[in-house]
Amino acid sequence: MTDTTEETPPDLLHGRDIRAFLFDLDGVLTPTAEVHMHAWARLFTPYLESHGAEPYVEQDYFDHIDGKPRFDGVRDLLASRGIELEPGTPDADPADDTVWGLGNRKNTVFNDTITEEGVAAYPASLTFLEAVIADGYEVAVVSSSKNAPAVLAAAGIADRFEIVVDGNVAAGLGLPGKPAPDTYIHAANALGLTVLECAVVEDAVSGVQSGARGAFGLVIGVDRGVGRKVLQDAGADVVVEELDELIDAVAKRTEQNDEITDAVNHKESK
């Protein structure tokens, strides 16, 4: 287990009927958030310099891009520099000087990096994922990225998830992206559960806001550098550095449920 300065409450699920965990992908299950960060930096550093704008810095990723659909991230970053571009179309050439063109240019860099270097799931996240599946919880992935299926396959965990709500699904259904709660609500519905029965697991402020705005039963923040207080202020019920910190709390709740079920069954059999 990872040591933390704030102990995870052992009664984390007390009063909550959590039956599923809905995971963001980049930064929660896989370290692809770092690949995304590098790709965005490689896109915007020369672009902003060529336009005489304020230089791109790492904080721009967290302030304007992290967790959002690609189009929204490009638009919001440019807006922070007072730059307006034509939106273009989703199939825009990466060389086009449009919002979609820049987004597709970034995506080319991202996919090249994944192909060349591969990706592996965070060990602690994989441990937690396997633990909750073994305990009988449902799981799903909810990602703004249209690359989610490729990343899941590259990480070797695609077979864990029957439900994947990614950027392609959202676009096809016309669902607004994070921080709107719609993609997470869609995942809950696909599992046949209510939002109160689902826990949202996020590392991005926009994703945590999705869970809070959707009134989900539990919102878990994973601090990959955003900051514990920032995630708490965005609506996280609990913030951890690694997901395996939650295994004992989840297992204890599962054991309690089993004990209640056994007691009811024993009473009914008399």
Side-chain angles (χ1 to χ4, degrees):
M1 295 287 183
T2 304
D3 291 333
T4 60
T5 57
E6 180 177 307
E7 185 177 353
T8 302
D11 59 345
L12 177 66
L13 300 186
H14 180 70
R16 296 181 169 103
D17 185 22
I18 300 300
R19 299 176 182 272
F21 288 87
L22 313 181
F23 296 89
D24 176 45
L25 178 58
D26 301 322
V28 171
L29 292 175
T30 60
T32 36
E34 297 175 9
V35 182
H36 281 292
M37 290 177 67
H38 294 159
W40 284 112
R42 289 174 62 182
L43 169 71
F44 278 123
T45 297
Y47 185 86
L48 294 178
E49 182 179 354
S50 69
H51 284 71
E54 182 182 344
Y56 181 84
V57 296
E58 184 176 290
Q59 191 60 39
D60 283 319
Y61 176 80
F62 297 109
D63 290 344
H64 307 297
I65 297 169
D66 191 19
K68 299 177 183 177
R70 197 185 321 146
F71 178 94
D72 294 340
V74 173
R75 181 198 60 206
D76 292 351
L77 187 283
L78 293 176
S80 75
R81 301 305 197 271
I83 300 174
E84 292 186 15
L85 294 179
E86 292 295 323
T89 59
D91 60 351
D93 189 296
D96 289 352
D97 197 21
T98 63
V99 173
W100 272 110
L102 288 176
N104 291 342
R105 194 182 311 172
K106 174 264 173 183
N107 201 49
T108 298
V109 175
F110 175 83
N111 285 326
D112 288 346
T113 303
I114 290 295
T115 299
E116 294 167 5
E117 301 179 7
V119 64
Y122 287 110
S125 296
L126 183 58
T127 299
F128 178 77
L129 173 64
E130 293 177 341
V132 297
I133 290 175
D135 284 339
Y137 291 96
E138 300 286 347
V139 295
V141 163
V142 181
S143 172
S144 297
S145 175
K146 292 185 176 181
N147 300 308
V151 172
L152 288 168
I157 56 176
D159 60 334
R160 269 75 159 188
F161 300 97
E162 292 186 8
I163 303 298
V164 177
V165 181
D166 66 352
N168 295 297
V169 173
L173 295 174
L175 301 175
K178 305 170 187 177
D182 300 61
T183 50
Y184 274 110
I185 292 172
H186 180 73
N189 291 339
L191 291 172
L193 299 173
T194 68
V195 294
L196 289 177
E197 294 174 314
C198 297
V200 167
V201 189
E202 271 282 357
D203 70 310
V205 170
S206 59
V208 169
Q209 290 172 335
S210 297
R213 293 177 184 180
F216 281 81
L218 178 66
V219 181
I220 299 168
V222 183
D223 184 11
R224 302 292 189 195
V226 175
R228 179 181 297 273
K229 186 176 186 306
V230 174
L231 293 174
Q232 290 172 333
D233 290 345
D237 297 304
V238 63
V239 178
V240 296
E241 293 179 4
E242 295 289 355
L243 283 175
D244 62 354
E245 298 166 33
L246 299 175
I247 289 178
D248 286 347
V250 171
K252 287 178 181 178
R253 181 59 179 167
T254 303
E255 291 169 0
Q256 291 171 3
N257 288 340
D258 289 342
E259 290 172 0
I260 292 172
T261 300
D262 290 343
V264 170
N265 291 337
H266 178 70
K267 182 177 181 181
E268 292 177 347
S269 65
K270 287 187 176 181

